[in-house]
Amino acid sequence: MLLVCTSFIYSAVVNHEVRQIYHIYDENKELIDSAPIAPRKEAWLGTDKLGYDMLSKVLIGAKFTILGALTIAFLRMMVSVPLGLVLGTYFPKGQKYLTSLVDVFHFVPLSVVALYLLQPFLFLKAGQEPVYSLTERIAIEIVVLTILTVPVLSVLIGNETRELFKEEYVSSAKTLGGSKLHIIKKHIFPALRERFFILFGQQFVQTLIVMAHLGLFFLYFGGTIFPSEGGDPPKSVTNEWSGLIGGSKIFLQWAPWIPLTPIVCFAVTILAVMLMVEGFSRVTSGRPVYFKRKNTQTLSAEKKRLRKKENSFDFLDKSM
Amino acid sequence: MKKLGAISLQFIAACVGIIIFGALPSLFIAQGTGGSHIGMFIDTLSSIINSLIHFNEITFEIKGVEYQVYKYIFEGAFYSLTLIICALFLAYLIAILLTFLTMQFPKWLREKIKLAILFFESLPDILVILVLQLLIITFYKKTDILLMKVVTVGDSQAYLLPIICLAILPTIQLYRITNHLYEEELLKDYVLLTRAKGIRHTIILWKHILRNTIVSLFFHLKQTIWFMLSTLVVVELLFNVFGITYYLTTYMIPEVFTFILLFLFVPIFVFYHLVKLIIEKTVKGGEALS
């Protein structure tokens, strides 16, 4: 029952993502009616100040946002997984110091740090020849956002690796003469694989949130164009979601659908990823992530526990 | 004593890290100006250190008028820290209270609640804040009753709504965690024993389980603070609050930025380690907290 349910959610989620990515070839629809138009039949999500349909805008922006966030999350994992494994395996002593150093990252807001580092690259003045090209800007943003969380992530993975090295099967593999590299390949990595997927999902969500925050500060993925004369809000180069938020947040009072559309899109994507992670972990381990934290009990033990729990509730009723 | 030394070492390392970090962007900017990267970096680094020593000389300009930074920062930092610490306490309090409430419900209802939590947890903070603001404005328009201050204008500072906005998502996260901890704790033998003695469910929850879960709950303090700081940035922007992140994001000059970042970092670092120290000293089993 649980399996069916999960796969159902999972496939629905995947469909959702596919639809978002493949419908981006819609044309921008210019409406004659006085903009901004509230959501209605012709334009499901309303239009913005200049009359662009929010739905198609959002759909066009989707590819940049989702693919960008995916790339960043993926790169984060690609860098931190090997680093973390090496840390946990070869330098278990130094880990403690490194952990306390990295701890410091927890007391500085990530969005501000990203904002500070990215500002020089992404602000373009209208009419002025940009120092960096579009691809360069996207590349720099991806690299910066990737590097930001690598220390925290690698130490996390390193800690888990170190814990795994204390397990009995690892020490028996050592006794049998397995080298450290062999142990990583055959024992540690498979044991952590599920965990990596969950981490990946969390990183993806976090990237999306940071991007949304940056959008509020007019710092858009792919670059921001500031109009030379004041008045118009800064424009996004690529129409991606964070740009849609930043440019429209002043409309909140009298045309709330303009900023809310991209934000709701962020919310939907994040929810989709969360459900995917939840579904994945239910399928692979029979153990939900977000409902229960990682524990070492097996499935049968869990069932036994549940039965025990019901009993104990019965017992309470009787006693009262 | 040894521990204190370790913490202060960590503190100094962090400060050095922040100063170096403050100089980082100059590495890249040099490309446009034609100067050499490393030279530029070292220049900025020395100017940051210099200005930190003479911190009362750091100024920022608004329309040609120079203001001294530190006077404004004190005010902003105080405001921001009030918001964040209030929100932190509020989040912990509500999470624990809600858990008590849910523990009274039957099991099937609790499963439903968990699903709802998953949904709420995935909402981005911007959405929550904007919707709350919008709700209060619409409510005001309809009924002419202003529930809370929506933005800070001039001297009248908004406190309640920013704190609520800051606390809402961490509360949900903590709520999920406490819920889970409680359910695990309920299966332990000593709970069975107290039940056998005929002690009521609510008293068990209050007296025994709370005491035993509070340490693990504080394991998440660091994550919660981190999350809140990120939200704080957005809250201050959307509520037009002249808090610390306002200054942080408005004047992106390396010297000023580093100074303000230190201002934000130091109190929170001290606060965290104080709370940790208190828990380690007072709660049994708190030594495991790290």
Side-chain angles (χ1 to χ4, degrees):
Chain A
M1 183 65 196
L2 201 72
L3 265 172
V4 174
C5 234
T6 314
S7 71
F8 196 71
I9 294 170
Y10 186 75
S11 69
V13 164
V14 167
N15 268 340
H16 186 84
E17 294 250 311
V18 168
R19 211 183 66 209
Q20 275 187 335
I21 294 174
Y22 281 105
H23 266 246
I24 44 180
Y25 302 108
D26 287 10
E27 279 299 296
N28 269 359
K29 184 167 70 182
E30 197 108 34
L31 286 178
I32 309 134
D33 207 348
S34 71
I37 302 163
R40 53 178 183 160
K41 220 177 179 182
E42 289 85 42
W44 282 0
L45 297 172
T47 66
D48 70 0
K49 204 173 120 201
L50 299 170
Y52 291 112
D53 185 20
M54 286 309 290
L55 183 65
S56 52
K57 251 189 157 180
V58 161
L59 287 177
I60 290 168
K63 69 177 167 207
F64 289 100
T65 316
I66 293 177
L67 284 182
L70 259 180
T71 327
I72 291 168
F74 185 69
L75 280 177
R76 280 177 181 178
M77 295 308 288
M78 286 297 286
V79 178
S80 349
V81 166
L83 259 180
L85 286 177
V86 168
L87 261 180
T89 318
Y90 295 99
F91 312 102
K93 289 266 166 61
Q95 266 252 282
K96 218 175 112 198
Y97 302 103
L98 206 65
T99 311
S100 66
L101 261 188
V102 166
D103 248 14
V104 169
F105 273 82
H106 288 285
F107 302 110
V108 173
L110 189 66
S111 317
V112 168
V113 172
L115 183 67
Y116 183 58
L117 284 180
L118 286 172
Q119 206 165 29
F121 307 111
L122 299 183
F123 278 7
L124 314 169
K125 299 222 169 60
Q128 191 188 318
E129 201 56 33
V131 184
Y132 301 96
S133 69
L134 177 67
T135 28
E136 263 181 328
R137 284 196 304 267
I138 291 182
I140 289 171
E141 177 151 8
I142 287 174
V143 168
V144 168
L145 286 182
T146 304
I147 290 172
L148 273 184
T149 53
V150 161
V152 177
L153 210 56
S154 332
V155 166
L156 187 75
I157 294 169
N159 282 339
E160 298 222 348
T161 314
R162 202 182 41 177
E163 286 304 308
L164 271 181
F165 258 89
K166 289 177 190 158
E167 296 276 328
E168 266 172 33
Y169 66 86
V170 175
S171 46
S172 60
K174 247 188 225 162
T175 324
L176 288 173
S179 69
K180 280 185 173 174
L181 196 70
H182 173 82
I183 292 175
I184 289 180
K185 258 195 267 174
K186 292 283 171 191
H187 300 289
I188 306 288
F189 192 74
L192 285 176
R193 202 160 37 200
E194 278 169 36
R195 184 98 181 99
F196 288 155
F197 185 81
I198 293 160
L199 273 177
F200 176 72
Q202 283 168 349
Q203 289 302 314
F204 185 70
V205 169
Q206 199 206 22
T207 314
L208 280 175
I209 289 178
V210 168
M211 280 166 78
H213 285 185
L214 291 178
L216 278 180
F217 287 98
F218 304 125
L219 197 83
Y220 310 146
F221 192 65
T224 312
I225 305 168
F226 274 100
S228 41
E229 285 135 41
D232 283 342
K235 261 194 214 125
S236 162
V237 175
T238 52
N239 242 345
E240 50 74 48
W241 294 348
S242 60
L244 296 179
I245 295 176
S248 61
K249 70 164 190 282
I250 46 167
F251 295 114
L252 180 69
Q253 292 226 10
W254 38 281
W257 60 91
I258 301 178
L260 282 184
T261 310
I263 295 174
V264 167
C265 284
F266 267 115
V268 168
T269 318
I270 290 171
L271 188 68
V273 175
M274 293 272 254
L275 287 177
M276 263 165 74
V277 170
E278 178 75 26
F280 176 84
S281 65
R282 273 192 201 185
V283 169
T284 52
S285 62
R287 208 190 298 142
V289 202
Y290 283 105
F291 298 159
K292 291 222 167 81
R293 227 175 23 176
K294 206 184 72 172
N295 51 31
T296 43
Q297 259 96 2
T298 56
L299 197 64
S300 61
E302 193 120 314
K303 266 185 197 153
K304 219 182 276 171
R305 263 176 37 181
L306 284 177
R307 211 176 298 139
K308 199 169 130 199
K309 200 169 168 184
E310 277 159 19
N311 284 340
S312 63
F313 272 109
D314 282 355
F315 177 63
L316 180 73
D317 284 346
K318 274 174 212 157
S319 71
M320 272 169 74
Chain B
M1 234 29 233
K2 199 181 157 199
K3 197 139 199 184
L4 203 69
I7 289 174
S8 46
L9 199 70
Q10 192 188 346
F11 180 75
I12 292 164
C15 289
V16 172
I18 286 176
I19 291 170
I20 291 172
F21 172 79
L24 261 186
S26 58
L27 265 181
F28 313 110
I29 297 172
Q31 191 153 356
T33 56
S36 81
H37 290 217
I38 304 295
M40 189 91 170
F41 179 68
I42 289 167
D43 277 356
T44 330
L45 207 60
S46 63
S47 89
I48 287 174
I49 292 168
N50 195 27
S51 62
L52 281 183
I53 293 166
H54 311 282
F55 68 93
N56 50 349
E57 285 164 22
I58 309 176
T59 51
F60 57 82
E61 273 187 30
I62 301 172
K63 289 172 184 153
V65 186
E66 287 203 344
Y67 295 91
Q68 281 184 315
V69 171
Y70 72 98
K71 283 180 189 162
Y72 290 84
I73 300 302
F74 267 122
E75 214 172 287
F78 184 71
Y79 188 33
S80 302
L81 289 175
T82 322
L83 289 186
I84 218 168
I85 288 171
C86 284
L88 207 61
F89 278 119
L90 197 70
Y92 266 96
L93 202 70
I94 294 180
I96 290 173
L97 286 180
L98 273 180
T99 315
F100 277 123
L101 204 67
T102 19
M103 281 301 141
Q104 313 291 337
F105 294 149
K107 194 166 169 27
W108 62 268
L109 194 63
R110 271 191 269 159
E111 295 297 320
K112 289 265 156 57
I113 290 173
K114 280 181 198 163
L115 208 69
I117 294 174
L118 178 70
F119 172 73
F120 280 115
E121 231 191 309
S122 59
L123 295 177
D125 37 14
I126 301 180
L127 181 72
V128 174
I129 296 164
L130 285 182
V131 166
L132 266 180
Q133 259 183 334
L134 209 62
L135 276 181
I136 290 199
I137 292 170
T138 354
F139 190 77
Y140 177 61
K141 275 183 186 161
K142 288 267 155 62
T143 60
D144 246 15
I145 303 168
L146 188 58
L147 285 179
M148 311 159 202
K149 275 181 206 149
V150 179
V151 286
T152 297
V153 183
D155 287 336
S156 70
Q157 289 176 320
Y159 275 103
L160 193 55
L161 196 58
I163 290 177
I164 291 175
C165 284
L166 263 182
I168 244 176
L169 285 174
T171 306
I172 295 169
Q173 285 176 349
L174 286 172
Y175 174 51
R176 173 173 55 82
I177 294 161
T178 25
N179 230 333
H180 171 70
L181 287 173
Y182 265 65
E183 290 199 333
E184 251 181 15
E185 201 71 19
L186 271 176
L187 301 172
K188 289 194 178 158
D189 284 342
Y190 75 91
V191 178
L192 207 66
L193 179 70
T194 40
R195 266 199 196 130
K197 283 162 111 185
I199 296 169
R200 262 197 284 157
H201 189 54
T202 346
I203 295 175
I204 296 176
L205 287 181
W206 260 123
K207 277 207 150 170
H208 301 280
I209 298 190
L210 178 65
R211 232 181 265 173
N212 286 327
T213 50
I214 204 137
V215 174
S216 351
L217 197 58
F218 272 97
F219 271 119
H220 296 273
L221 184 64
K222 205 163 51 186
Q223 258 74 32
T224 315
I225 288 178
W226 195 23
F227 190 79
M228 266 192 188
L229 276 175
S230 270
T231 318
L232 181 73
V233 179
V234 178
V235 165
E236 294 199 351
L237 186 79
L238 290 177
F239 283 96
N240 204 14
V241 163
F242 291 98
I244 198 154
T245 59
Y246 169 78
Y247 295 103
L248 203 55
T249 48
T250 319
Y251 311 104
M252 287 274 179
I253 314 155
E255 292 88 10
V256 180
F257 182 83
T258 317
F259 183 61
I260 303 176
L261 201 60
L262 279 176
F263 237 99
L264 184 66
F265 164 76
V266 172
I268 291 176
F269 187 85
V270 171
F271 174 77
Y272 173 73
H273 281 284
L274 261 180
V275 171
K276 209 170 120 178
L277 205 72
I278 292 168
I279 290 176
E280 276 171 4
K281 283 267 146 60
T282 52
V283 184
K284 207 179 155 202
E287 298 86 28
L289 193 75
S290 60

